[in-house]
Amino acid sequence: MTLDRLSAHRVLEEAVTQAHTLGRPVCVAVTDERGALLAFTRMDGAPVRSVKLSEAKAYSAARLCVSTAAFHERLTRDDMPVSYFADPMLTGMPGGAVIRGQGGAAIGGIGISGLAPAEDQQLAETAAAAHQMRQDR
């Protein structure tokens, strides 16, 4: 199973809806399992710096099949710079989550930027979980 354009936009809209409830603008990027961008939005008022950050978070989650928070923990625990992975697009900044399809297979990534890192992470995980719940029905 792969993440198609329509599903990517549903994940994006779930994140935007959640951000609206917080009353704070974010950038949201959704990628396929290889990290290629499928959907993106910058809510009105979201910081411009959050554009590339959200894309890097989604890419990292998809490529590594772990959240960027988990990746950050590994980098910190092992005292390892992200440059050791030889991929300049990777980031350990929290706010990226793996999007999973039926059976839990990784099919993409979502990256959120514009809030505090822990809030970005929670929003990404909520949107990704909403997608998986729809798939498991």
Side-chain angles (χ1 to χ4, degrees):
M1 176 179 196
T2 61
L3 187 66
D4 61 18
R5 184 187 63 80
L6 182 58
S7 295
H9 281 274
R10 283 188 189 126
V11 174
L12 182 144
E13 288 303 321
E14 177 68 32
V16 168
T17 298
Q18 293 296 322
H20 276 298
T21 65
L22 298 173
R24 307 206 2 239
V26 296
C27 289
V28 182
V30 179
T31 68
D32 66 15
E33 74 279 3
R34 294 175 305 276
L37 190 64
L38 289 173
F40 173 81
T41 194
R42 178 177 170 250
M43 294 173 65
D44 294 341
V48 173
R49 70 181 174 276
S50 293
V51 172
K52 290 295 181 190
L53 285 170
S54 65
E55 291 176 16
K57 292 174 183 185
Y59 174 87
S60 298
R63 295 292 295 188
L64 299 170
C65 293
V66 298
S67 72
T68 54
F71 184 49
H72 180 266
E73 289 173 19
R74 178 181 178 200
L75 294 172
T76 303
R77 179 185 66 242
D78 296 343
D79 193 26
M80 182 185 315
V82 71
S83 63
Y84 280 13
F85 288 81
D87 186 339
M89 282 288 296
L90 292 177
T91 184
M93 182 171 281
V98 179
I99 299 171
R100 299 191 183 278
Q102 291 177 329
I107 59 170
I110 179 170
I112 308 287
S113 185
L115 307 173
E119 293 173 306
D120 285 345
Q121 188 64 49
Q122 181 61 48
L123 187 55
E125 289 174 6
T126 299
H131 174 76
Q132 187 165 358
M133 285 175 43
R134 279 192 303 274
Q135 294 302 304
D136 290 342
R137 283 188 214 163

